[in-house]
Amino acid sequence: MTSSHSPASSASQPASESGSPSVTPYDDMTPVTRAAYRARAAAAEIAPLPRAAKDDALLAIADALEVRTSEIVEANAEDVARAREAGTSESIIDRLTLTPERVRAIAADVRDVAALPDPVGEVVRGSTLPNGIDLRQVRVPLGVVGIIYEARPNVTVDAAALCLKSGNAVLLRGSSSAYSSNTALVRVLRDAVGGAGLPADAVQLVPGESRDSVRELMRARGLVDVLIPRGGASLIRTVVEESTVPVIETGTGNCHVYVDAQADIDMAVDILINSKAQRPSVCNAAETLLVHQDIADTFLPRALDALAEAGVTVHGDERVVAYADGSKATVVAATAEDWETEYLSYDIAAAVVDSLDAAVAHIRLWTSGHTEAIVTTSQAAARRFTQLVDSTTVAVNASTRFTDGGQFGFGAEIGISTQKLHARGPMGLPELTSTKYIVTGDGHTR
C-alpha cells in the first residue's frame, strides 16, 4: 500500500473510474488502495448530503434489488453449488443462500433503514459557556468504513444501506465463498446509487479474492477510518490482532439460557427452543443451557424431549447425562471445549448448577459477552442476574434471538459489538457516526 500519499491531499484524490485519469501517484497504486482513495473521495461528497438525497438512494436500492432478484439469485446459486461440492456444513450454506423471499426481505430492510431518522447533525449535547461561547457536539459520519465478513451476502446490502444512511462510504470484503453473490449485489447497489445521483464509489467491493487484499485493507490506515469484522472467532481475532486501522470488534455468540429455580416451565421450554433452534446458524442463538438444581427434575425431562424433537444434540455434564435415560434426546458427555464453543448448529451444551450465582460464575468464565437470558418468575433473581452478568444484552424471560438491530428497532444492523469502546451491542445508525465540536463565538479570544 502506498500509505505515504496523504488522503488529505487534493492532488492524490482520484476521479471516479468513469472520470478523467487522475495525476500520479494514483496510477501506481494497488487495486485495493485505489478503491480506498475512491471511497474517501465519495465519503467527502456524501457526508454533507441532506437526508432526502440519501433516502432516495436507499429506496432506489430497494427497488433495484426486487427488479433484479433473478440476477442475484442466479449468481448466489453458483456460490451455493460450490459450497456443496466443497462439503460445507448446512448451517453455513443456510447463511450463504439467497432466495427470492430473502432478497425481498433484504429490500424491505433497506426501506426500513430509509425510514429511520438521520443521525448526522444530531446535537449530542450543547450549551452556552459562561464566557458566551456556544458549544455543540454533533454527530458526523465516520468516513470510510471497511467491512470484512464471511458467507453472509445479506451483510453486503445491510452494511451498504446503513453506511449510506449515516453518510459513510463502505468497502466490502466478503469471503470468497460468496464472491459471485457479492459481485452481483454490489453491481446492483452501485447502479442504483449512481442512478440516484450519489457517487457510485460510495459502495465498493474490495478487489481480489486472496488474503493479500484483506491484509492490505487492514493496513490502509489513513484511508480507511474503521474496520468492522463480522464472522467467526478466527476472522475476528485476525482482524483485531493484525489491523492497523481502528477496529470495532464484533464478537462470537456463546449465548446462555439460565433456567432459574422459580421459572415457569412452559415458558422456559419455549424460550430455550426458540433461542436454540429457531435459527441455529446465527450469533444470537443459544449455545449453552444452565439449569438450577431445584428445578432440574421437573424441567430437564421436558427440555430434553423438546430439544430432541427440534433435532438438537445435547452436550451435557454428568448431571444432565443422568436425565437422558428414558428421554428421546441425543445426549453426549460434555468436554471443557463445549463450554466455550459457538456451535452455529443443532448442538447445545448443558449443565445443572447449584445456584443463580453458580450460573453467573459459569457465564463469566465462558461467555463471549454477547447475550445471556434468565427465565424466572422472581423479580429478585432477575434483578441480581441483570446486575451481575456483563454482556452486551441480558434478557429476562425472553429469547436470546431478540439481540438484533431490526428487533431492537434500529433497522438492519452493521454487527453486534462485544467490546466496550464506542459501540456495544447491536450497531445501528448512531454507532456509525463519530462526533465533532462546533464552537461559535463573537470575537472571543483566550
Side-chain angles (χ1 to χ4, degrees):
M1 192 189 99
T2 53
S3 57
S4 60
H5 308 305
S6 169
S9 170
S10 59
S12 297
Q13 292 290 355
S16 66
E17 287 181 307
S18 59
S20 59
S22 65
V23 297
T24 56
Y26 181 54
D27 291 339
D28 296 329
M29 292 178 185
T30 67
V32 174
T33 307
R34 191 177 300 128
Y37 266 90
R38 292 202 306 268
R40 199 156 191 88
E45 191 174 336
I46 291 173
L49 290 179
R51 172 180 176 174
K54 294 182 287 187
D55 288 352
D56 285 347
L58 292 175
L59 295 175
I61 286 173
D63 291 343
L65 289 169
E66 292 182 336
V67 169
R68 298 170 67 174
T69 295
S70 59
E71 174 186 340
I72 295 165
V73 172
E74 183 177 344
N76 177 252
E78 298 174 7
D79 291 328
V80 171
R82 285 195 298 269
R84 291 195 186 280
E85 289 174 5
T88 304
S89 69
E90 284 302 315
S91 63
I92 300 299
I93 289 176
D94 175 61
R95 288 184 169 206
L96 175 63
T97 301
L98 292 176
T99 63
E101 294 75 21
R102 286 187 178 182
V103 174
R104 284 194 292 271
I106 292 170
D109 288 341
V110 175
R111 292 191 177 96
D112 289 343
V113 172
L116 293 170
D118 186 349
V120 178
E122 175 190 350
V123 178
V124 178
R125 58 182 172 177
S127 63
T128 301
L129 303 180
N131 61 6
I133 282 180
D134 180 75
L135 179 68
R136 287 180 296 141
Q137 182 185 17
V138 300
R139 292 195 183 279
V140 295
L142 290 170
V144 177
V145 179
I147 314 290
I148 301 175
Y149 54 107
E150 294 179 330
R152 294 279 297 274
N154 64 297
V155 173
T156 301
V157 182
D158 291 348
L162 284 166
C163 286
L164 285 172
K165 178 75 177 192
S166 52
N168 298 292
V170 64
L171 292 170
L172 300 157
R173 182 50 169 87
S175 63
S176 58
S177 61
Y179 188 77
S180 296
S181 306
N182 291 334
T183 299
L185 285 167
V186 170
R187 184 165 55 242
V188 172
L189 296 175
R190 287 174 59 85
D191 288 349
V193 169
L198 272 62
D201 285 337
V203 180
Q204 295 182 71
L205 196 64
V206 174
E209 296 182 66
S210 71
R211 292 185 179 181
D212 290 341
S213 66
V214 180
R215 292 190 188 97
E216 191 172 353
L217 179 64
M218 290 192 296
R219 287 165 173 75
R221 189 178 183 91
L223 291 172
V224 178
D225 293 289
V226 67
L227 282 180
I228 302 173
R230 290 190 59 173
S234 176
L235 167 69
I236 294 166
R237 184 171 57 252
T238 297
V239 175
V240 170
E241 293 177 355
E242 297 185 15
S243 177
T244 61
V245 175
V247 176
I248 298 177
E249 183 176 353
T250 60
T252 54
N254 184 14
C255 304
H256 296 73
V257 173
Y258 165 59
V259 179
D260 187 51
Q262 300 182 60
D264 179 292
I265 298 296
D266 291 336
M267 179 189 293
V269 171
D270 288 345
I271 287 174
L272 169 63
I273 298 304
N274 184 262
S275 296
K276 174 70 259 182
Q278 193 259 348
R279 195 177 179 190
S281 63
V282 291
C283 64
N284 57 18
E287 305 291 18
T288 301
L289 167 67
L290 303 174
V291 182
H292 195 290
Q293 63 179 0
D294 292 352
I295 204 172
D297 285 348
T298 307
F299 172 74
L300 270 175
R302 284 192 54 187
L304 291 176
D305 284 346
L307 288 167
E309 290 177 8
V312 177
T313 296
V314 178
H315 302 250
D317 69 355
E318 290 182 357
R319 290 195 279 185
V320 171
V321 170
Y323 287 94
D325 290 342
S327 77
K328 308 171 186 176
T330 300
V331 181
V332 298
T335 65
E337 185 179 32
D338 285 302
W339 307 123
E340 64 182 354
T341 298
E342 184 187 30
Y343 294 108
L344 302 175
S345 63
Y346 286 98
D347 294 87
I348 192 167
V352 175
V353 293
D354 295 337
S355 64
L356 183 149
D357 284 356
V360 170
H362 181 105
I363 291 169
R364 284 180 170 174
L365 181 61
W366 300 108
T367 184
S368 61
H370 194 294
T371 300
E372 328 301 346
I374 180 174
V375 186
T376 185
T377 60
S378 166
Q379 291 186 3
R383 184 164 52 251
R384 182 164 180 79
F385 189 82
T386 57
Q387 289 172 340
L388 295 180
V389 170
D390 185 21
S391 292
T392 77
T393 306
V394 183
V396 178
N397 295 330
S399 171
T400 61
R401 291 280 288 116
F402 282 105
T403 305
D404 174 84
Q407 293 295 317
F408 282 10
F410 302 162
E413 69 189 26
I414 201 77
I416 297 175
S417 170
T418 54
Q419 67 179 28
K420 297 185 180 182
L421 299 178
H422 172 65
R424 195 181 192 199
M427 296 168 57
L429 293 170
E431 287 73 31
L432 284 171
T433 64
S434 182
T435 64
K436 68 180 176 184
Y437 288 94
I438 298 177
V439 179
T440 304
D442 185 19
H444 285 73
T445 59
R446 180 179 175 181

